[in-house]
Amino acid sequence: MRVLEDTNDHRSFALPGSSPHYGPDKVVSVEQIDLDLTIDLDGERLDGTCTTTVRALDENVERLALDAVDLVILGVERGGAPQRFVRRNEKLEIEFSTPIRPGELATFDVRYRCSKPRHGLFFVKPTPAHPAKVVHAWTQSQDENARYWFPCLDYPHEKQPTSATIRVPKGHFALSNGALIERVDEGDRTIFRYRQDVPHSTYLMTMVAGTFAEVAQGVAGAGNVPVFYYVLPGREADGERAFGNTPRMIALFEERTGAPYPYARYSQIAVGDFIFGGMENTSATTQTDRTLHDATAHLDFSSDPLVSHELAHQWFGDLITCRDWSHAWLNEGFATFFEAIWRESDQGYDEYLYDIFECVSAYREEDADRYRRPIVCNTYRDPIEIFDRHLYQKGAAVLHMLRGELGDARFWRSIRHYVEHNSQQSVETIDFIRAIEDATGRNLRAFFDQWVFSGGHPELEVALTWDETRKVATLTADQKQPIDANRPPYRFDVNVGFVAQPPANVARDAGSGPLAGERRIRVAIARERETIAIPLESEPKLVRFDPGAFSLANVTYKLGADFAATVLRRDPDVVARIRAARELAKDGTHVAVDALSNAFADEPFWGVLAESAATIGTTRAPWARGLLIGALEHAHPKVRRAVAAALGNFRHAAVAEALVPVAQNDSSYFVRSAALEALGKTRDARAFDVLAAVAKERTWNSTVEAGAIRGLAELADSRALALALDAAGPRNDEGLRRAAADAIARIGQAVEEQRTRAVSALEELLDDPSFLVQLAALRAAESLGDARLLPSLDRLAQTAFDGRTRRDALEAAIRVREAAKVPAQVRGMRTDIDELREDQRKLQEKIEALARS
């Protein structure tokens, strides 16, 4: 087993105040929860009765403590008789007049009120800044926020059937978990009654209320499950673009898991101001309304990743639930992997493999820039802290590795066995390991120790030489990450293939299997340097390392331009072609440049060209500039987007000349956005006027104007701050305001005389009522690195309601202190850092004046 934290080279995941977390003791088993709720949308109030049935376990239960935060408890009754209770430390402690005997069932009612809640229950209503907002309300219970809207045992290992009776103003709609049993008008209210018979955790319970349009999508799956989506009136067409593939996804996931969709119906409801992308409430997913999109966005934007992710949770997370948050990758890693499985089914293997490649890239970025941790980790301040790229993207990548390790037949047999034998259960990672053992006979505990219970991944450099005299190909694989007594080399196996006569053209969606005539061997990587000599009849023309990119290693090719050019042209593996393009871009010889140029004419998969463009741009070479300018006319919008972004590496008039019409007129929102930001990076004289004009446009989710604001931030022009401040105003869309927060920080860094104004603006945005804007402001504060922001960051790190805000604020404060060299024990101190900067500026002016003279 590898060490848990590579602290010599990476930041620790555990922040000050973190501690190991374990599940709570259980004195009862919850058998049923029934909610009776009356919602006052205008008054932002919920009146409820929570009826809970419990079974005592192995001893008499005289007192029971429920999680209950900010709830006004009006009374507790058991069998009609009042029970004594007390509120203490965010708990509702009930003292039963008659103890519950072991094995005995007991039912009690808690009458309560929730008014203007801080968390868990959110009310959306018109504001002076946004008077057109439609009134509605929604709950968000993950990770442990159900306690903010009803009293319960709020931990994932407790699962029970539930029901909900919800009273809303007549004409409004209400959604909860399970089957809709009744919808009836009663006076000036409409009553909705739902029943969820399959046990589920409290964090998966939901309530949404408001004026929503209902769209029935028919039935899906083996059980002819009714499928619905709900949107605010007028968004029905956008909803179809977002949710239209849901019935096909249900059928696919049933086939892959071997288990029918487990609930009475499936609903998705899009709400405003949502603080996540989506939430997999059992049978009734809540989605952000930002995923609803128009026809123009649909050219190169899809809601399918979000929709498939939340749907996959109905099996992985809802039907099978992590027993403890430290094992939440069994929820999130699986759901992220099934995003890729849907993409494979819908668009082909190339799209699947690129999806996994993107997962690995996202995880590695967090590992390099933020911290390193094991996937299974129980040391944190708040459970939400572990819902990161290690949990989601690395978790998905590990499942892809398992797919390669076991092969498709055994892998899917293991998944089906895991689902069948753990249905309706709470699980830990060992349950998945045992399912694999039972289904295949394979003992993969060493695999899980290395990739799940330990942090990190290998940095692998792969090279090849050919000895014509001996007819031997020699492959070397060097692990470049730090290796010592505490950090031994990683151990894993990869396939390597040698092809004497590769196909004339790359094969689409060929999978990871061998090509015709390919000699494939299995290579064990276990030492810092592995050298493998392979006798062959003739020099191979194509070398295939790890087809399918199953290894989590960050692989860099050192094959030489000729071999790399052949890989780029003829290897059916999209990740291999990306790696080859990266080697060729660094090489820069005529062979390399010709191979890359030909790829933009012949490469069949957009993802290879997008990654190639990004790498080519980093060279900043004249040949790269010309190649990318020509590629701006590529037919695929995602290629044009990547090319436009890559051109931001060049401060050249020809680049600006090429970007201006794309920034103004491309058919894709995202291409325009990338071109606008890149245009700002050129710092061309034409850029400010173009960017300032586009910043006033209003497009879907502010995609285009946000790009203009980011471009303005790159100009190092003092005039840009006024436009960024205007974009940050409360009347604008969240997408634009988030971009503006980042722009304010960038301008403050680049234009010293605007720094104080930037600090003031960010101080205000750090307390913005929009959660997503606040998170963007935290990232911007960290980027600006100004010590004057520390009092606000320290306050949020301690007092913010959301655990993500607390963690981001604390991380930002740590990095700001490091940048400004402010002692950690200093709190709220105004430093003389501005005076020091002014002295430095004056000194630099004197040096430059002397140099000119």
Side-chain angles (χ1 to χ4, degrees):
M1 181 184 293
R2 295 179 61 81
V3 295
L4 293 183
E5 294 286 353
D6 239 343
T7 53
N8 290 340
D9 305 291
H10 294 80
R11 291 177 181 271
S12 172
F13 169 73
L15 294 174
S18 298
S19 61
H21 284 67
Y22 303 92
D25 294 335
K26 291 180 64 171
V27 297
V28 298
S29 171
V30 181
E31 302 295 314
Q32 178 79 31
I33 293 176
D34 300 299
L35 297 178
D36 191 305
L37 308 171
T38 300
I39 190 160
D40 179 352
L41 292 169
D42 293 326
E44 299 183 39
R45 195 179 83 178
L46 178 71
D47 289 284
T49 298
C50 178
T51 301
T52 305
T53 300
V54 300
R55 184 187 301 274
L57 296 179
D58 64 341
E59 58 185 34
N60 285 344
V61 176
E62 298 178 352
R63 300 175 67 88
L64 182 63
L66 303 181
D67 298 300
V69 183
D70 294 346
L71 302 179
V72 177
I73 305 302
L74 304 176
V76 178
E77 294 183 355
R78 176 183 175 191
Q83 307 293 295
R84 297 177 63 183
F85 65 89
V86 63
R87 293 289 313 281
R88 182 184 293 118
N89 298 326
E90 300 188 336
K91 299 282 187 179
L92 168 61
E93 297 183 7
I94 302 171
E95 182 179 337
F96 295 111
S97 55
T98 303
I100 310 171
R101 297 188 302 273
E104 180 186 2
L105 287 175
T107 299
F108 57 90
D109 302 321
V110 178
R111 291 184 298 107
Y112 66 96
R113 176 171 298 149
C114 175
S115 182
K116 297 185 184 297
R118 295 184 297 167
H119 223 336
L121 172 60
F122 298 81
F123 289 87
V124 180
K125 56 195 307 185
T127 66
H130 295 279
K133 279 190 176 183
V134 178
V135 175
H136 60 290
W138 46 266
T139 62
Q140 172 55 38
S141 300
Q142 192 180 42
D143 44 57
E144 296 175 359
N145 294 326
R147 62 192 67 187
Y148 284 88
W149 65 281
F150 67 96
C152 56
L153 294 175
D154 196 11
Y155 203 74
H157 71 335
E158 193 70 66
K159 303 181 76 169
Q160 59 279 308
T162 64
S163 73
T165 298
I166 308 170
R167 294 171 173 80
V168 295
K170 185 179 290 186
H172 287 58
F173 172 77
L175 180 66
S176 191
N177 310 97
L180 177 58
I181 303 303
E182 185 179 35
R183 180 192 313 205
V184 60
D185 290 332
E186 189 175 277
D188 60 352
R189 293 190 174 275
T190 301
I191 303 174
F192 292 81
R193 292 189 173 91
Y194 290 88
R195 188 178 69 224
Q196 172 58 39
D197 293 329
V198 180
H200 61 148
S201 300
T202 52
Y203 81 88
L204 296 167
M205 294 177 66
T206 185
M207 181 206 66
V208 182
T211 53
F212 289 90
E214 178 181 83
V215 178
Q217 294 181 275
V219 296
N224 291 322
V225 175
V227 183
F228 300 87
Y229 68 79
Y230 300 87
V231 294
L232 295 175
R235 304 297 303 272
E236 292 87 345
D238 294 344
E240 183 59 30
R241 278 185 284 269
F243 307 131
N245 285 326
T246 305
R248 291 172 54 213
M249 294 175 186
I250 291 174
L252 173 68
F253 292 172
E254 286 187 340
E255 185 273 324
R256 290 303 176 94
T257 63
Y261 174 82
Y263 307 113
R265 59 187 264 159
Y266 186 59
S267 301
Q268 295 174 92
I269 189 164
V271 303
D273 298 346
F274 199 52
I275 58 175
F276 288 89
M279 179 59 210
E280 65 274 14
N281 308 305
T282 310
S283 80
T285 290
T286 304
Q287 307 277 25
T288 173
D289 65 358
R290 297 184 69 80
T291 203
L292 304 177
H293 56 280
D294 61 25
T296 300
H298 202 58
L299 292 173
D300 51 344
F301 174 84
S302 173
S303 295
D304 279 6
L306 175 63
V307 172
S308 59
H309 181 101
E310 305 306 337
L311 175 64
H313 272 309
Q314 301 301 312
W315 287 266
F316 303 104
D318 297 9
L319 185 66
I320 304 171
T321 309
C322 62
R323 179 179 297 276
D324 183 89
W325 290 121
S326 63
H327 294 271
W329 83 282
L330 298 170
N331 298 10
E332 301 298 349
F334 274 68
T336 304
F337 177 73
F338 269 76
E339 291 180 43
I341 293 303
W342 163 252
R343 193 164 165 179
E344 178 182 19
S345 174
D346 185 52
Q347 300 178 53
Y349 185 81
D350 287 358
E351 291 278 356
Y352 161 80
L353 195 55
Y354 188 64
D355 191 297
I356 297 297
F357 173 82
E358 290 179 305
C359 284
V360 174
S361 299
Y363 146 68
R364 287 189 192 132
E365 182 181 24
E366 181 174 81
D367 177 83
D369 297 341
R370 198 173 180 191
Y371 49 69
R372 170 168 289 180
R373 72 172 183 87
I375 292 177
V376 173
C377 170
N378 73 339
T379 302
Y380 45 77
R381 298 198 309 170
D382 299 289
I384 197 66
E385 292 181 7
I386 66 170
F387 286 75
D388 60 4
R389 296 179 185 181
H390 284 68
L391 198 74
Y392 288 71
Q393 284 89 349
K394 187 180 181 183
V398 165
L399 289 170
H400 175 66
M401 292 177 72
L402 278 172
R403 190 178 185 183
E405 180 70 24
L406 296 171
D408 258 27
R410 285 186 294 182
F411 174 77
W412 288 113
R413 187 160 69 248
S414 299
I415 294 294
R416 294 183 186 111
H417 186 86
Y418 172 65
V419 173
E420 178 184 359
H421 288 269
N422 293 283
S423 176
Q424 301 188 36
Q425 302 300 311
S426 298
V427 294
E428 296 178 345
T429 302
I430 189 62
D431 297 297
F432 183 44
I433 296 172
R434 287 172 176 153
I436 297 171
E437 292 176 353
D438 292 344
T440 69
R442 291 288 305 275
N443 184 341
L444 293 180
R445 298 186 186 221
F447 175 98
F448 281 83
D449 275 351
Q450 181 167 251
W451 303 114
V452 176
F453 294 110
S454 300
H457 59 270
E459 300 286 339
L460 200 65
E461 185 176 279
V462 177
L464 183 85
T465 59
W466 169 253
D467 187 327
E468 179 63 29
T469 303
R470 297 169 54 227
K471 300 293 185 183
V472 171
T474 301
L475 182 80
T476 59
D478 293 313
Q479 297 194 43
K480 294 292 190 178
Q481 75 280 1
I483 293 175
D484 53 34
N486 292 320
R487 296 171 295 185
Y490 287 86
R491 303 174 64 91
F492 56 99
D493 296 339
V494 296
N495 289 326
V496 182
F498 302 90
V499 187
Q501 294 295 330
N505 296 299
V506 65
R508 288 297 309 270
D509 294 320
S512 58
L515 297 173
E518 177 181 336
R519 181 182 175 188
R520 182 169 288 192
I521 62 173
R522 188 76 168 164
V523 174
I525 308 292
R527 294 176 293 185
E528 186 171 359
R529 162 166 279 207
E530 292 288 356
T531 303
I532 305 101
I534 306 100
L536 299 170
E537 293 181 0
S538 61
E539 181 181 5
K541 301 302 181 185
L542 176 63
V543 180
R544 307 188 67 200
F545 183 82
D546 189 22
F550 291 110
S551 167
L552 193 61
N554 183 19
V555 177
T556 302
Y557 281 175
K558 294 288 185 181
L559 302 177
D562 290 329
F563 273 122
T566 304
V567 172
L568 179 59
R569 186 170 67 253
R570 298 185 178 184
D571 197 313
D573 186 287
V574 297
V575 177
R577 302 205 298 275
I578 291 168
R579 291 168 178 165
R582 289 175 172 176
E583 180 179 359
L584 291 167
K586 294 175 183 177
D587 183 274
T589 62
H590 287 300
V591 171
V593 173
D594 288 346
L596 290 166
S597 298
N598 291 333
F600 275 90
D602 302 329
E603 168 60 47
F605 183 61
W606 68 268
V608 173
L609 294 181
E611 298 296 330
S612 298
T615 301
I616 291 168
T618 62
T619 69
R620 294 183 171 86
W623 66 263
R625 183 181 68 237
L627 175 57
L628 291 171
I629 288 174
L632 272 176
E633 299 181 357
H634 197 278
H636 201 296
K638 291 184 179 179
V639 176
R640 296 199 306 276
R641 185 196 311 186
V643 168
L647 283 169
N649 289 285
F650 302 89
R651 291 185 184 175
H652 195 280
V655 171
E657 184 73 28
L659 286 171
V660 167
V662 176
Q664 293 175 325
N665 302 314
D666 195 275
S667 59
S668 162
Y669 292 144
F670 297 95
V671 176
R672 290 188 65 196
S673 181
L676 287 160
E677 184 172 359
L679 180 61
K681 291 179 179 179
T682 69
R683 298 194 178 175
D684 187 87
R686 292 163 288 186
F688 183 85
D689 290 340
V690 172
L691 296 169
V694 176
K696 298 176 183 177
E697 292 188 25
R698 292 297 175 261
T699 60
W700 170 76
N701 280 359
S702 297
T703 304
V704 173
E705 52 269 36
I709 289 296
R710 287 191 294 267
L712 285 164
E714 298 289 347
L715 290 176
D717 187 324
S718 61
R719 295 176 296 170
L721 185 61
L723 295 171
L725 293 175
D726 182 66
R731 294 184 181 277
N732 292 319
D733 176 79
E734 278 184 348
L736 181 59
R737 302 184 67 222
R738 291 157 64 188
D742 178 65
I744 289 166
R746 288 177 176 269
I747 296 166
Q749 286 177 312
V751 185
E752 186 63 31
E753 60 267 25
Q754 299 285 20
R755 191 176 184 90
T756 296
R757 290 183 67 195
V759 169
S760 297
L762 290 179
E763 281 183 323
E764 186 173 343
L765 289 174
L766 285 171
D767 287 317
D768 198 88
S770 165
F771 174 73
L772 296 180
V773 172
Q774 184 183 52
L775 290 187
L778 286 167
R779 291 189 293 270
E782 180 179 320
S783 172
L784 183 58
D786 195 293
R788 289 173 290 181
L789 292 167
L790 284 172
S792 294
L793 294 174
D794 290 337
R795 172 175 52 80
L796 289 171
Q798 296 298 321
T799 64
F801 296 137
D802 194 284
R804 290 168 292 176
T805 304
R806 289 192 293 272
R807 180 174 184 103
D808 286 2
L810 183 53
E811 284 191 9
I814 289 171
R815 296 204 180 195
V816 170
R817 283 192 165 86
E818 290 173 351
K821 295 182 173 56
V822 178
Q825 66 270 23
V826 175
R827 293 293 185 268
M829 184 180 72
R830 294 289 180 176
T831 74
D832 59 356
I833 193 168
D834 292 315
E835 294 178 11
L836 291 173
R837 287 199 181 93
E838 181 65 17
D839 291 341
Q840 290 173 343
R841 185 183 66 79
K842 291 178 180 178
L843 179 60
Q844 184 65 30
E845 288 177 352
K846 290 179 181 179
I847 293 172
E848 291 172 354
L850 288 171
R852 288 193 297 270
S853 63

